[in-house]
Amino acid sequence: MRLLLATDAWHPQVNGVVRSVERMAEAAAGLGVEPLMLTPSDFASLPMPGYSEIRLSLVTRGRVLARWKRLAPSHVHIATEGPIGHAVRAACLSLNQPFTTSYHTRFPEYLAARAPVPEAWSYAWLRRFHAAASGTMVSTPSLERELAGRGFTRLMRWTRGVDTELFRPRDADAAADPFPSLPRPIFLSVGRLAVEKNLAAFLALDLPGSKVVVGDGPDRARLQALSPGAHFLGALTGEALARVYASADAFVFPSLTDTFGIVLLEALASGLPVAAFPVTGPLDVIDGTGAGALDTDLRRAALAALTIPRERCRAEALRYTWAESARQFYDNIATAHALGPAPRSPRRASGAALPRPG
């Protein structure tokens, strides 16, 4: 399989889409796949207004077709619905080439948080984009049910994983403690600092101890002004991020719009119990596991998380591996490709789903 993997989300962005695409590319060789990446680094681009970290590629179907001849892909996966995603989709349709897509981001909710655009309009646009695919991958059962109810078709399950060697419990070591002087307990939140992540709900909580926020983004200045007592560490990666997870006492995930939340797995793998709202993502990862607390009252959830044994969190995280995620991903692509191009009719039955590989 020579897989053209097209994504508008790429470095320097730090988010779940980038991490997922990277992991799938890294796993490709071991599964007999040659990944052919198409990212914003391949084209001239402009910074997205108000969010310069995101680059909008200046790409057309013609430019994609010119690269296509050189790359000669046998399979295509479109990870995002941005300029690159649209150009590759158009190229596939012109060549009658089957392709798969994935639904990572709730753009309707994100857009509605920034502009007066009805969510129904955005969902109609996204439904049309994904309807041309032979399969659309979603990360959780609750998201699959929701999208099927909105008329999305040919849905396929693709879970996520976590690096359990990097993100792991650490022995108490005063010299390595990133919070030696902060009052305990430490409530941690990790993610992009943008309005759709609902960080203000976390910062507004009346909690004992300290609040720590890891991440960066366009909403950082507003959030720091909102909660001057919180500790903002900026964006962290690798060992520095892993030590922060392992040194906190509870992980608070205030988002109402994530489709999964890889940070949930990173926290659990570090032995860190999770507090979140009972919404898509936390419901799928945390509910019924005993590794976190879900409540419509986020303060109550955060305090309840403090009582959860850390070993229970670690055990739950060990169920999620990037190896299994990659197996699902590439099996989905092979299954969808074998079915051929999706029918062009807009009247396909709502909620029709592909058979899931073993």
Side-chain angles (χ1 to χ4, degrees):
M1 181 189 297
R2 287 173 57 83
L3 175 67
L4 181 64
L5 189 48
T7 178
D8 293 275
W10 203 238
H11 304 291
Q13 295 181 53
V14 179
N15 55 45
V17 182
V18 174
R19 271 178 281 181
S20 297
V21 171
E22 274 187 316
R23 286 292 186 167
M24 295 306 98
E26 290 170 2
L31 295 170
V33 177
E34 181 180 359
L36 311 168
M37 303 299 296
L38 203 62
T39 75
S41 62
D42 295 306
F43 305 97
S45 62
L46 298 172
M48 180 176 175
Y51 208 151
S52 59
E53 177 185 318
I54 297 177
R55 306 292 300 186
L56 300 178
S57 300
L58 303 176
V59 56
T60 64
R61 183 185 68 173
R63 289 183 178 180
V64 169
L65 288 172
R67 287 178 176 268
W68 194 294
K69 293 179 181 179
R70 185 177 76 252
L71 296 173
S74 62
H75 297 68
V76 177
H77 179 74
I78 300 172
T80 54
E81 304 97 338
I84 291 176
H86 273 271
V88 173
R89 176 184 182 275
C92 288
L93 293 177
S94 71
L95 296 169
N96 204 33
Q97 165 75 39
F99 64 94
T100 52
T101 60
S102 46
Y103 190 97
H104 288 277
T105 306
R106 291 182 181 273
F107 281 118
E109 287 82 356
Y110 289 11
L111 185 57
R114 293 172 166 80
V117 178
E119 290 181 11
W121 294 4
S122 301
Y123 272 112
W125 171 74
L126 286 171
R127 188 166 53 248
R128 181 177 181 276
F129 179 93
H130 291 284
S134 296
T136 296
M137 300 189 208
V138 296
S139 56
T140 65
S142 62
L143 181 61
E144 181 178 2
R145 290 191 296 270
E146 178 186 338
L147 292 181
R150 292 183 181 275
F152 287 70
T153 59
R154 297 193 168 198
L155 300 173
M156 313 177 81
R157 195 77 54 74
W158 170 36
T159 190
R160 301 298 189 269
V162 62
D163 182 346
T164 55
E165 293 185 8
L166 174 63
F167 298 104
R168 65 184 192 277
R170 311 294 177 108
D171 294 332
D173 182 352
D177 184 357
F179 315 122
S181 59
L182 294 189
R184 295 276 177 172
I186 290 174
F187 296 91
L188 172 68
S189 189
V190 177
R192 187 169 65 253
L193 304 190
V195 63
E196 68 272 8
K197 294 298 185 179
N198 199 32
L199 263 296
F202 166 53
L203 296 173
L205 297 179
D206 179 15
L207 293 171
S210 305
K211 297 172 187 171
V212 173
V213 176
V214 171
D216 211 342
D219 213 25
R220 179 170 179 172
R222 183 184 74 87
L223 291 171
Q224 285 185 293
L226 185 68
S227 184
H231 303 268
F232 289 76
L233 305 186
L236 298 176
T237 60
E239 184 70 15
L241 175 60
R243 286 200 171 275
V244 167
Y245 273 121
S247 300
D249 298 296
F251 184 76
V252 182
F253 186 75
S255 176
L256 297 169
T257 58
D258 273 59
T259 57
F260 188 90
I262 290 177
V263 292
L264 297 174
L265 298 184
E266 293 174 350
L268 294 179
S270 306
L272 189 60
V274 171
F277 290 111
V279 296
T280 295
L283 275 173
D284 300 279
V285 177
I286 302 297
D287 194 36
T289 66
L294 304 183
D295 201 309
T296 54
D297 183 331
L298 192 58
R299 179 180 184 274
R300 190 160 55 206
L303 294 175
L306 295 175
T307 67
I308 293 172
R310 297 178 78 95
E311 58 271 16
R312 185 180 299 166
C313 304
R314 174 69 177 179
E316 183 61 26
L318 293 176
R319 297 177 54 241
Y320 293 87
T321 68
W322 282 117
E324 173 60 17
S325 176
R327 186 196 68 80
Q328 285 187 0
F329 179 75
Y330 288 111
D331 281 357
N332 284 343
I333 289 172
T335 300
H337 187 272
L339 294 178
R344 298 295 181 92
S345 170
R347 293 195 174 99
R348 289 180 300 181
S350 172
L354 286 173
R356 292 195 193 96

